[in-house]
Amino acid sequence: YAFPDVSALYTEETPDSAALCEKLLEEASVALVPGSAFGDDRCIRISYALDYATLDAAMQRIGAALRK
């Protein structure tokens, strides 16, 4: 798992890790786990137990959703 600090991405619409994960699920079709479930709301948990092509596609979709 990766557990990056994404708090710099928080806005009024996405004020915490749960809201950010929900946004990315809706807009990028990527399921992530809020860091608040692990005691650190600044982070999200990303599983990378998939093949490279799938991970690359997911990261591309996350990037596109965050650039909106």
Side-chain angles (χ1 to χ4, degrees), residues 2 9 18 20 22-23 27 29-32 37-38 43 47 49 51 53-54 59 62 64-65 67:
L9 302 171
L20 184 61
E22 185 176 330
K23 171 187 171 123
E27 295 183 15
S29 299
V30 177
L32 304 163
F38 300 94
C43 301
S47 172
D51 62 277
T54 302
M59 291 296 127
I62 288 171
R67 283 189 292 276

Side-chain angles (χ1 to χ4, degrees), residues 10-34:
Y10 294 171
T11 65
E12 282 191 30
E13 292 87 24
T14 54
D16 55 32
S17 62
L20 184 61
C21 287
E22 185 176 330
K23 171 187 171 123
L24 292 173
L25 180 59
E26 291 174 7
E27 295 183 15
S29 299
V30 177
L32 304 163
V33 181

Side-chain angles (χ1 to χ4, degrees), residues 1-7 10 35 40 42-46:
Y1 300 99
F3 200 62
D5 182 335
V6 294
S7 59
Y10 294 171
D40 193 346
R42 297 171 301 164
C43 301
I44 58 173
R45 190 174 86 159
I46 303 170

